[in-house]
């Protein structure tokens, strides 16, 4: 497994400018064998931001799996899908989207934060290259609190300090994810 240095989102563009210049990206593209690249990580870790920068550098298409789900369900937002149809309906559509996306080449896919919780999604993502964006919970909570939780249905609950709400809920989600990984091992 390759490990990249930890960085805050402000350092992201400098990192890509320095380490993944157009010239280096062109050298890397043949090694990828046109594989699809799946970006995974907790909500707010930067999958969309990194995906757009990476896809541009590689000359790949960028796809957000949440957008695919929104289109499949009828152009309503992820938050509305959770509210009207429930999380399981969203996850089912997310799996269908990943199945379809995994059969395509030369694209960078930003997955939903919970995509990794369903084993079938791993089968789809194994057809390409999966990259985990690891961001400390504190940084995630700060990012999410700064933009609000309205578009994040798993964080949209009682009023209170946005940072504390986000940090507490992200900690709980991380514990749930860790316990599922133990049982799936």
């Amino acid at each position: 497994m390759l490990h990249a240095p930890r960085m805050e989102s402000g350092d992201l563009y400098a990192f890509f400018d320095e380490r993944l210049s157009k010239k280096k990206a062109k050298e890397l593209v043949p090694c990828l064998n046109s594989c699809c690249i799946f970006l995974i990580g907790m909500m707010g870790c930067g999958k969309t931001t990194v995906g757009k920068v990476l896809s541009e550098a590689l000359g790949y298409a960028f796809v957000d799996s949440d957008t695919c789900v929104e289109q499949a369900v009828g152009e309503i937002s992820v938050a509305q899908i959770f509210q009207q149809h429930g999380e399981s309906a969203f996850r089912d559509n997310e799996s269908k989207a990943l199945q379809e996306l995994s059969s395509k080449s030369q694209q960078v896919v930003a997955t939903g934060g919970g995509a990794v919780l369903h084993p079938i999604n791993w089968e789809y993502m194994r057809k390409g290259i999966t990259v985990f964006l690891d961001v400390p919970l504190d940084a995630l909570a700060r990012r999410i609190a700064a933009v609000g939780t309205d578009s994040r249905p798993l964080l949209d609950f009682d009023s209170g300090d946005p940072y504390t709400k986000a940090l507490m809920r992200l900690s709980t989600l991380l514990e749930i994810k860790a316990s599922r990984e133990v049982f799936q091992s």
Side-chain angles (χ1 to χ4, degrees):
M1 177 185 282
L2 297 173
H3 293 280
R6 286 193 182 265
M7 65 188 82
E8 291 295 319
S9 58
D11 300 331
L12 182 63
Y13 292 104
F15 174 79
F16 278 107
D17 286 345
E18 177 185 326
R19 299 239 176 130
L20 193 61
S21 66
K22 291 281 187 187
K23 181 182 176 204
K24 287 182 183 180
K26 286 183 182 188
E27 293 171 8
L28 180 62
V29 168
C31 300
L32 297 174
N33 295 322
S34 297
C35 276
C36 188
I37 299 171
F38 294 94
L39 302 178
I40 63 171
M42 296 278 290
M43 64 180 83
C45 72
K47 296 180 296 285
T48 299
T49 302
V50 170
K52 288 177 179 178
V53 173
L54 183 60
S55 66
E56 183 179 331
L58 296 173
Y60 275 30
F62 172 74
V63 181
D64 186 313
S65 67
D66 283 352
T67 301
C68 293
V69 173
E70 290 170 344
Q71 291 169 347
V73 175
E75 303 291 333
I76 61 174
S77 72
V78 170
Q80 290 171 312
I81 295 168
F82 269 71
Q83 187 178 50
Q84 294 174 15
H85 304 285
E87 183 177 359
S88 64
F90 173 81
R91 298 294 174 208
D92 290 344
N93 281 288
E94 180 177 55
S95 292
K96 289 176 190 171
L98 289 172
Q99 180 181 23
E100 183 178 325
L101 293 168
S102 70
S103 67
K104 298 181 179 178
S105 60
Q106 294 188 335
Q107 59 185 6
V108 176
V109 178
T111 66
V116 298
L117 298 177
H118 295 276
I120 191 66
N121 293 342
W122 281 106
E123 295 302 316
Y124 304 140
M125 292 187 291
R126 281 190 184 107
K127 294 178 183 178
I129 297 168
T130 303
V131 178
F132 174 59
L133 303 181
D134 187 18
V135 176
L137 286 181
D138 177 61
L140 294 174
R142 279 187 276 120
R143 290 177 187 180
I144 292 168
V147 297
T149 59
D150 292 344
S151 66
R152 304 199 183 268
L154 293 177
L155 298 181
D156 191 24
F157 54 94
D158 299 331
S159 62
D161 170 47
Y163 169 80
T164 303
K165 285 188 340 182
L167 183 62
M168 297 303 291
R169 184 65 177 138
L170 287 167
S171 297
T172 302
L173 291 171
L174 189 59
E175 288 172 20
I176 291 168
K177 179 182 172 290
S179 68
R180 285 185 182 178
E181 287 173 354
V182 168
F183 289 116
Q184 291 174 2
S185 301

